[in-house]
Amino acid sequence: MAKRKRILITGAAGFLGSHLCDRFISEDFHVIAMDNLITGDLRNIEHLFKLENFEFYNHDVSTFVYVAGELDYILHFASPASPIDYLKIPIQTLKVGSLGTHNLLGLARNKNARMLIASTSEIYGDPSVNPQPEEYWGNVNTVGPRGVYDEAKRFQESITMAYHTFHGLETRIVRIFNTYGPRMRLNDGRVLPAFIGQAIRGEDLTVFGDGSQTRSFCYVSDLIEGIYRLLFSDYAQPMNIGNPSEITIKEFGEEIIKLTGTSQKMVYKELPMDDPKQRRPDITKARAILGWEPKVSREEGLKITYEYFKSLPQDVLEKVEHKDFTTYNK
Ligand code: UDP
């Protein structure tokens, strides 16, 4: 029998990390999961604890990371990833993208492992071209409220590429666009859990600004497939993975109202500072190099996600207060 490949996944108890754990377990990998649980939730991976090819460490990768034994792959997915989170914990956000990435690159080098880092469409900032191809350099306010995340991720890409060119380390960089699905946190402030949570609780849907800003939402299983293919490709340059189907936030609110059948309406609030006006991935490269494109329509993905949120225990649904973004900008 071939030896099981060993993979370290950081941010394993988070939304994307937990889906990656599931995918690599199903491919018969030995999964070493790591998370410091600041924004992650063990409920996302508790079904894996009984498996002999799964282990979990409660550890902050911004400090020295040690893993015993061989490692074939590292996926670095640890990071606060919603505007509310990185406004509340800006220093941790900067540290996990910079120091955490440096520690893990050192570990990858030491173990001769291939490392894939989770970058983001946020490195494009408030983009002046639409859709965004990988060649676009971005438009980021370094000292704005999103700067801690955007710049940590930009540094993360730079240091990863430096390890690739200087040390010959095998690296992959995925730029993730807005993704949704089961296991998103109901209270992370992101638009989808915010709208669905509000509809379920019988509250009005809070649209920031006039709702004309656009996003392009990718269902989680499509994203995971893209990441999986990128990891096993030989492509070391950054690659966009996302769904190019673009929609305004106002139209998105209308879709949620229709889906949930809520009798509530949309109410308009102040637009947070530096909120990108448009965002849509150019996925020409992913199509050509990985033979990948999204398969799940927004209608289908939203239905599954709504069922997931509805199935959460009542106390979880009720406890959520929708936080007003504008107070974080003061
Ligand atoms: N948004 C909104 N109402 C909310 C939460 C977010 O209108 O309750 C808007 C937000 O201003 C942004 C878009 O929805 O324009 C997507 O926000 P999210 O935080 O989900 O992601 P990001 O801005 O990082 O793409």
Side-chain angles (χ1 to χ4, degrees), residues 83 122 146 178 189-191 194-195 206-208 213 215 249 272 275 279 322:
E122 278 288 321
R146 291 173 177 253
N178 295 65
R190 289 196 164 275
V191 67
F195 281 178
T206 51
V207 173
F208 297 157
Q213 71 273 33
R215 293 294 184 273
I249 294 303
D275 197 286
R279 187 183 282 155
H322 181 68

PDB file of all heavy atoms in Angstrom, residues 83 122 146 178 189-191 194-195 206-208 213 215 249 272 275 279 322, ligand 1:
ATOM      1  N   PRO A  83     -14.144  41.900   6.907  1.00  0.00           N
ATOM      2  CA  PRO A  83     -13.837  43.271   7.347  1.00  0.00           C
ATOM      3  C   PRO A  83     -14.092  43.489   8.840  1.00  0.00           C
ATOM      4  O   PRO A  83     -13.283  44.125   9.524  1.00  0.00           O
ATOM      5  CB  PRO A  83     -14.755  44.128   6.485  1.00  0.00           C
ATOM      6  CG  PRO A  83     -14.948  43.316   5.228  1.00  0.00           C
ATOM      7  CD  PRO A  83     -14.961  41.886   5.675  1.00  0.00           C
ATOM      8  N   GLU A 122      -8.646  40.899  -2.304  1.00  0.00           N
ATOM      9  CA  GLU A 122      -8.372  42.160  -1.588  1.00  0.00           C
ATOM     10  C   GLU A 122      -7.017  42.752  -1.969  1.00  0.00           C
ATOM     11  O   GLU A 122      -6.795  43.940  -1.761  1.00  0.00           O
ATOM     12  CB  GLU A 122      -8.406  41.933  -0.074  1.00  0.00           C
ATOM     13  CG  GLU A 122      -9.796  41.949   0.519  1.00  0.00           C
ATOM     14  CD  GLU A 122     -10.420  43.328   0.569  1.00  0.00           C
ATOM     15  OE1 GLU A 122      -9.719  44.314   0.863  1.00  0.00           O
ATOM     16  OE2 GLU A 122     -11.625  43.422   0.284  1.00  0.00           O
ATOM     17  N   ARG A 146      -9.010  48.454   5.779  1.00  0.00           N
ATOM     18  CA  ARG A 146      -8.739  47.148   5.166  1.00  0.00           C
ATOM     19  C   ARG A 146      -7.247  46.915   4.947  1.00  0.00           C
ATOM     20  O   ARG A 146      -6.839  45.820   4.540  1.00  0.00           O
ATOM     21  CB  ARG A 146      -9.442  47.054   3.806  1.00  0.00           C
ATOM     22  CG  ARG A 146     -10.948  46.999   3.899  1.00  0.00           C
ATOM     23  CD  ARG A 146     -11.565  47.089   2.515  1.00  0.00           C
ATOM     24  NE  ARG A 146     -12.999  46.956   2.593  1.00  0.00           N
ATOM     25  CZ  ARG A 146     -13.690  45.877   2.205  1.00  0.00           C
ATOM     26  NH1 ARG A 146     -13.082  44.844   1.687  1.00  0.00           N
ATOM     27  NH2 ARG A 146     -14.995  45.834   2.329  1.00  0.00           N
ATOM     28  N   ASN A 178     -14.749  36.427  -3.348  1.00  0.00           N
ATOM     29  CA  ASN A 178     -15.848  36.165  -2.396  1.00  0.00           C
ATOM     30  C   ASN A 178     -16.403  34.753  -2.552  1.00  0.00           C
ATOM     31  O   ASN A 178     -16.820  34.375  -3.644  1.00  0.00           O
ATOM     32  CB  ASN A 178     -16.989  37.172  -2.601  1.00  0.00           C
ATOM     33  CG  ASN A 178     -16.574  38.584  -2.266  1.00  0.00           C
ATOM     34  OD1 ASN A 178     -15.712  39.154  -2.942  1.00  0.00           O
ATOM     35  ND2 ASN A 178     -17.152  39.159  -1.233  1.00  0.00           N
ATOM     36  N   GLY A 189     -20.151  39.408   9.726  1.00  0.00           N
ATOM     37  CA  GLY A 189     -20.367  40.714   9.108  1.00  0.00           C
ATOM     38  C   GLY A 189     -20.397  40.662   7.598  1.00  0.00           C
ATOM     39  O   GLY A 189     -20.701  41.657   6.943  1.00  0.00           O
ATOM     40  N   ARG A 190     -20.068  39.528   7.010  1.00  0.00           N
ATOM     41  CA  ARG A 190     -20.104  39.424   5.548  1.00  0.00           C
ATOM     42  C   ARG A 190     -21.540  39.537   5.068  1.00  0.00           C
ATOM     43  O   ARG A 190     -22.478  39.203   5.784  1.00  0.00           O
ATOM     44  CB  ARG A 190     -19.507  38.091   5.098  1.00  0.00           C
ATOM     45  CG  ARG A 190     -18.047  38.073   5.311  1.00  0.00           C
ATOM     46  CD  ARG A 190     -17.402  36.981   4.544  1.00  0.00           C
ATOM     47  NE  ARG A 190     -15.989  37.245   4.491  1.00  0.00           N
ATOM     48  CZ  ARG A 190     -15.415  38.027   3.578  1.00  0.00           C
ATOM     49  NH1 ARG A 190     -16.134  38.573   2.628  1.00  0.00           N
ATOM     50  NH2 ARG A 190     -14.126  38.239   3.621  1.00  0.00           N
ATOM     51  N   VAL A 191     -21.659  39.958   3.828  1.00  0.00           N
ATOM     52  CA  VAL A 191     -22.985  40.317   3.350  1.00  0.00           C
ATOM     53  C   VAL A 191     -23.942  39.116   3.310  1.00  0.00           C
ATOM     54  O   VAL A 191     -25.114  39.244   3.667  1.00  0.00           O
ATOM     55  CB  VAL A 191     -22.898  41.049   1.989  1.00  0.00           C
ATOM     56  CG1 VAL A 191     -22.396  40.133   0.874  1.00  0.00           C
ATOM     57  CG2 VAL A 191     -24.229  41.671   1.632  1.00  0.00           C
ATOM     58  N   ALA A 194     -24.986  38.024   6.800  1.00  0.00           N
ATOM     59  CA  ALA A 194     -25.744  39.161   7.351  1.00  0.00           C
ATOM     60  C   ALA A 194     -27.166  39.150   6.797  1.00  0.00           C
ATOM     61  O   ALA A 194     -28.142  39.140   7.554  1.00  0.00           O
ATOM     62  CB  ALA A 194     -25.042  40.478   7.031  1.00  0.00           C
ATOM     63  N   PHE A 195     -27.316  39.101   5.486  1.00  0.00           N
ATOM     64  CA  PHE A 195     -28.644  39.154   4.860  1.00  0.00           C
ATOM     65  C   PHE A 195     -29.497  37.936   5.248  1.00  0.00           C
ATOM     66  O   PHE A 195     -30.666  38.074   5.604  1.00  0.00           O
ATOM     67  CB  PHE A 195     -28.528  39.205   3.327  1.00  0.00           C
ATOM     68  CG  PHE A 195     -28.179  40.565   2.765  1.00  0.00           C
ATOM     69  CD1 PHE A 195     -28.001  40.735   1.387  1.00  0.00           C
ATOM     70  CD2 PHE A 195     -28.032  41.679   3.586  1.00  0.00           C
ATOM     71  CE1 PHE A 195     -27.683  41.985   0.852  1.00  0.00           C
ATOM     72  CE2 PHE A 195     -27.701  42.927   3.054  1.00  0.00           C
ATOM     73  CZ  PHE A 195     -27.531  43.075   1.681  1.00  0.00           C
ATOM     74  N   THR A 206     -29.651  45.068   5.792  1.00  0.00           N
ATOM     75  CA  THR A 206     -28.864  46.304   5.798  1.00  0.00           C
ATOM     76  C   THR A 206     -27.944  46.371   4.578  1.00  0.00           C
ATOM     77  O   THR A 206     -26.947  45.660   4.500  1.00  0.00           O
ATOM     78  CB  THR A 206     -27.992  46.373   7.068  1.00  0.00           C
ATOM     79  OG1 THR A 206     -27.268  45.129   7.167  1.00  0.00           O
ATOM     80  CG2 THR A 206     -28.829  46.567   8.319  1.00  0.00           C
ATOM     81  N   VAL A 207     -28.299  47.245   3.645  1.00  0.00           N
ATOM     82  CA  VAL A 207     -27.445  47.447   2.464  1.00  0.00           C
ATOM     83  C   VAL A 207     -26.535  48.633   2.746  1.00  0.00           C
ATOM     84  O   VAL A 207     -27.004  49.694   3.152  1.00  0.00           O
ATOM     85  CB  VAL A 207     -28.317  47.745   1.220  1.00  0.00           C
ATOM     86  CG1 VAL A 207     -27.454  48.115   0.028  1.00  0.00           C
ATOM     87  CG2 VAL A 207     -29.215  46.558   0.903  1.00  0.00           C
ATOM     88  N   PHE A 208     -25.249  48.460   2.540  1.00  0.00           N
ATOM     89  CA  PHE A 208     -24.308  49.558   2.767  1.00  0.00           C
ATOM     90  C   PHE A 208     -24.150  50.365   1.487  1.00  0.00           C
ATOM     91  O   PHE A 208     -23.968  49.795   0.410  1.00  0.00           O
ATOM     92  CB  PHE A 208     -22.946  49.023   3.223  1.00  0.00           C
ATOM     93  CG  PHE A 208     -23.005  48.289   4.548  1.00  0.00           C
ATOM     94  CD1 PHE A 208     -22.028  47.364   4.887  1.00  0.00           C
ATOM     95  CD2 PHE A 208     -24.022  48.532   5.462  1.00  0.00           C
ATOM     96  CE1 PHE A 208     -22.074  46.692   6.109  1.00  0.00           C
ATOM     97  CE2 PHE A 208     -24.072  47.870   6.681  1.00  0.00           C
ATOM     98  CZ  PHE A 208     -23.103  46.943   7.001  1.00  0.00           C
ATOM     99  N   GLN A 213     -22.525  48.778  -5.553  1.00  0.00           N
ATOM    100  CA  GLN A 213     -21.229  48.088  -5.628  1.00  0.00           C
ATOM    101  C   GLN A 213     -21.447  46.620  -5.993  1.00  0.00           C
ATOM    102  O   GLN A 213     -22.494  46.059  -5.655  1.00  0.00           O
ATOM    103  CB  GLN A 213     -20.453  48.224  -4.292  1.00  0.00           C
ATOM    104  CG  GLN A 213     -20.977  47.461  -3.102  1.00  0.00           C
ATOM    105  CD  GLN A 213     -22.043  48.215  -2.312  1.00  0.00           C
ATOM    106  OE1 GLN A 213     -22.836  48.970  -2.868  1.00  0.00           O
ATOM    107  NE2 GLN A 213     -22.097  47.988  -1.005  1.00  0.00           N
ATOM    108  N   ARG A 215     -20.160  42.436  -6.408  1.00  0.00           N
ATOM    109  CA  ARG A 215     -19.322  41.317  -5.966  1.00  0.00           C
ATOM    110  C   ARG A 215     -19.668  40.137  -6.863  1.00  0.00           C
ATOM    111  O   ARG A 215     -20.700  40.121  -7.543  1.00  0.00           O
ATOM    112  CB  ARG A 215     -19.601  40.942  -4.498  1.00  0.00           C
ATOM    113  CG  ARG A 215     -19.199  41.993  -3.467  1.00  0.00           C
ATOM    114  CD  ARG A 215     -17.697  42.212  -3.408  1.00  0.00           C
ATOM    115  NE  ARG A 215     -17.312  43.156  -2.349  1.00  0.00           N
ATOM    116  CZ  ARG A 215     -17.261  44.487  -2.494  1.00  0.00           C
ATOM    117  NH1 ARG A 215     -17.593  45.053  -3.643  1.00  0.00           N
ATOM    118  NH2 ARG A 215     -16.882  45.249  -1.484  1.00  0.00           N
ATOM    119  N   ILE A 249     -24.934  44.556  -4.967  1.00  0.00           N
ATOM    120  CA  ILE A 249     -25.361  44.141  -3.618  1.00  0.00           C
ATOM    121  C   ILE A 249     -26.875  44.329  -3.460  1.00  0.00           C
ATOM    122  O   ILE A 249     -27.551  43.548  -2.791  1.00  0.00           O
ATOM    123  CB  ILE A 249     -24.558  44.913  -2.538  1.00  0.00           C
ATOM    124  CG1 ILE A 249     -23.072  44.494  -2.602  1.00  0.00           C
ATOM    125  CG2 ILE A 249     -25.122  44.708  -1.144  1.00  0.00           C
ATOM    126  CD1 ILE A 249     -22.793  43.006  -2.430  1.00  0.00           C
ATOM    127  N   PRO A 272     -19.052  51.617   4.245  1.00  0.00           N
ATOM    128  CA  PRO A 272     -17.782  51.630   4.972  1.00  0.00           C
ATOM    129  C   PRO A 272     -16.654  52.217   4.107  1.00  0.00           C
ATOM    130  O   PRO A 272     -16.683  52.112   2.887  1.00  0.00           O
ATOM    131  CB  PRO A 272     -17.510  50.151   5.257  1.00  0.00           C
ATOM    132  CG  PRO A 272     -18.804  49.456   5.072  1.00  0.00           C
ATOM    133  CD  PRO A 272     -19.577  50.258   4.076  1.00  0.00           C
ATOM    134  N   ASP A 275     -14.600  50.624   0.752  1.00  0.00           N
ATOM    135  CA  ASP A 275     -15.358  49.453   0.281  1.00  0.00           C
ATOM    136  C   ASP A 275     -15.216  49.382  -1.252  1.00  0.00           C
ATOM    137  O   ASP A 275     -15.592  50.314  -1.954  1.00  0.00           O
ATOM    138  CB  ASP A 275     -16.826  49.648   0.673  1.00  0.00           C
ATOM    139  CG  ASP A 275     -17.631  48.372   0.609  1.00  0.00           C
ATOM    140  OD1 ASP A 275     -17.945  47.914  -0.506  1.00  0.00           O
ATOM    141  OD2 ASP A 275     -17.956  47.844   1.678  1.00  0.00           O
ATOM    142  N   ARG A 279     -15.995  44.114  -8.136  1.00  0.00           N
ATOM    143  CA  ARG A 279     -15.070  42.991  -7.974  1.00  0.00           C
ATOM    144  C   ARG A 279     -15.580  41.801  -8.776  1.00  0.00           C
ATOM    145  O   ARG A 279     -16.707  41.344  -8.586  1.00  0.00           O
ATOM    146  CB  ARG A 279     -14.950  42.618  -6.501  1.00  0.00           C
ATOM    147  CG  ARG A 279     -13.873  41.583  -6.287  1.00  0.00           C
ATOM    148  CD  ARG A 279     -13.796  41.153  -4.872  1.00  0.00           C
ATOM    149  NE  ARG A 279     -13.112  42.092  -4.017  1.00  0.00           N
ATOM    150  CZ  ARG A 279     -13.335  42.175  -2.711  1.00  0.00           C
ATOM    151  NH1 ARG A 279     -14.261  41.449  -2.159  1.00  0.00           N
ATOM    152  NH2 ARG A 279     -12.635  43.009  -1.976  1.00  0.00           N
ATOM    153  N   HIS A 322     -26.610  42.116  14.666  1.00  0.00           N
ATOM    154  CA  HIS A 322     -25.920  42.617  13.487  1.00  0.00           C
ATOM    155  C   HIS A 322     -25.142  43.852  13.892  1.00  0.00           C
ATOM    156  O   HIS A 322     -25.695  44.828  14.382  1.00  0.00           O
ATOM    157  CB  HIS A 322     -26.898  42.938  12.368  1.00  0.00           C
ATOM    158  CG  HIS A 322     -26.174  43.429  11.175  1.00  0.00           C
ATOM    159  ND1 HIS A 322     -25.363  42.614  10.443  1.00  0.00           N
ATOM    160  CD2 HIS A 322     -26.083  44.655  10.641  1.00  0.00           C
ATOM    161  CE1 HIS A 322     -24.816  43.327   9.486  1.00  0.00           C
ATOM    162  NE2 HIS A 322     -25.235  44.565   9.584  1.00  0.00           N
TER     163      HIS A 322
HETATM  164  N1  UDP B   1     -22.535  44.727   2.818  1.00  0.00           N
HETATM  165  C1  UDP B   1     -23.824  45.189   2.941  1.00  0.00           C
HETATM  166  N2  UDP B   1     -24.523  44.856   4.089  1.00  0.00           N
HETATM  167  C2  UDP B   1     -24.012  44.073   5.073  1.00  0.00           C
HETATM  168  C3  UDP B   1     -22.709  43.599   4.933  1.00  0.00           C
HETATM  169  C4  UDP B   1     -21.979  43.941   3.778  1.00  0.00           C
HETATM  170  O1  UDP B   1     -24.348  45.889   2.078  1.00  0.00           O
HETATM  171  O2  UDP B   1     -24.717  43.830   6.066  1.00  0.00           O
HETATM  172  C5  UDP B   1     -21.788  45.064   1.591  1.00  0.00           C
HETATM  173  C6  UDP B   1     -20.365  45.578   1.837  1.00  0.00           C
HETATM  174  O3  UDP B   1     -20.372  46.960   2.054  1.00  0.00           O
HETATM  175  C7  UDP B   1     -19.688  45.190   0.531  1.00  0.00           C
HETATM  176  C8  UDP B   1     -20.404  43.911   0.111  1.00  0.00           C
HETATM  177  O4  UDP B   1     -21.623  43.888   0.824  1.00  0.00           O
HETATM  178  O5  UDP B   1     -19.891  46.174  -0.447  1.00  0.00           O
HETATM  179  C9  UDP B   1     -19.624  42.646   0.415  1.00  0.00           C
HETATM  180  O6  UDP B   1     -19.200  42.717   1.744  1.00  0.00           O
HETATM  181  P1  UDP B   1     -18.457  41.527   2.472  1.00  0.00           P
HETATM  182  O7  UDP B   1     -18.084  42.001   3.824  1.00  0.00           O
HETATM  183  O8  UDP B   1     -19.278  40.298   2.369  1.00  0.00           O
HETATM  184  O9  UDP B   1     -17.163  41.260   1.596  1.00  0.00           O
HETATM  185  P2  UDP B   1     -16.032  42.179   0.931  1.00  0.00           P
HETATM  186  O10 UDP B   1     -16.390  43.630   1.052  1.00  0.00           O
HETATM  187  O11 UDP B   1     -14.779  41.838   1.638  1.00  0.00           O
HETATM  188  O12 UDP B   1     -16.065  41.740  -0.478  1.00  0.00           O
END
